[in-house]
Amino acid sequence: MSSEQLERVIPMYCGACGMPPEYCEYSPDYETHCTPWLQKNHPNLLQQHQRNGNEDDVVRPENPWTTEERLVAFYEKYDPSKVDKAASLLEKYVGKEENLFTALGKKYGEEP
């Protein structure tokens, strides 16, 4: 058995979206939530990510989806009869929106 010590690695997660920073760009709230959080807490990672990524190759929407737009798109695809209830459902899940989308994903399938 080797006497070599393994280095302990502590993973880091974005405080805005909860994903590892290298996956933040796939979050619908990347520009509005993740980028400011990374700039404040880990500017070196943000700069490294910006240097590695070629922004010309990335297709981004003009405006990121709001949570309500995400929910409406979900119901338009899986259960159109519930589209009108999206706003009231979001009121119930204030601060727990990702829990809502996780539950919807389990019930209906992949988010559109």
Side-chain angles (χ1 to χ4, degrees):
M1 183 175 249
S2 175
S3 63
E4 185 178 322
Q5 292 286 330
L6 296 176
E7 183 179 337
R8 183 176 183 186
V9 177
I10 300 173
M12 182 181 59
Y13 298 97
C14 174
C17 70
M19 293 191 278
E22 58 269 20
Y23 294 103
C24 282
E25 69 182 292
Y26 302 108
S27 168
D29 301 322
Y30 175 70
E31 297 292 331
T32 57
H33 293 81
C34 298
T35 300
W37 186 87
L38 286 168
Q39 182 63 45
K40 179 181 177 187
N41 296 288
H42 299 283
N44 58 332
L45 286 175
L46 182 62
Q47 290 171 356
Q48 180 183 2
H49 173 67
Q50 289 172 342
R51 278 196 308 268
N52 290 340
N54 184 351
E55 292 296 322
D56 296 335
D57 295 340
V58 178
V59 177
R60 297 198 188 279
E62 288 183 26
N63 297 313
W65 281 21
T66 64
T67 305
E68 186 171 2
E69 288 171 333
R70 286 176 64 196
L71 185 57
V72 167
F74 209 105
Y75 280 139
E76 284 175 343
K77 179 176 180 179
Y78 294 108
D79 194 350
S81 67
K82 294 186 178 181
V83 169
D84 295 336
K85 300 173 186 170
S88 63
L89 186 59
L90 286 174
E91 288 178 17
K92 292 179 185 178
Y93 282 87
V94 171
K96 300 179 280 185
E97 292 86 355
E98 287 307 312
N99 294 346
L100 170 63
F101 285 101
T102 299
L104 289 171
K106 288 179 182 178
K107 182 175 182 177
Y108 294 109
E110 185 176 315
E111 187 173 345

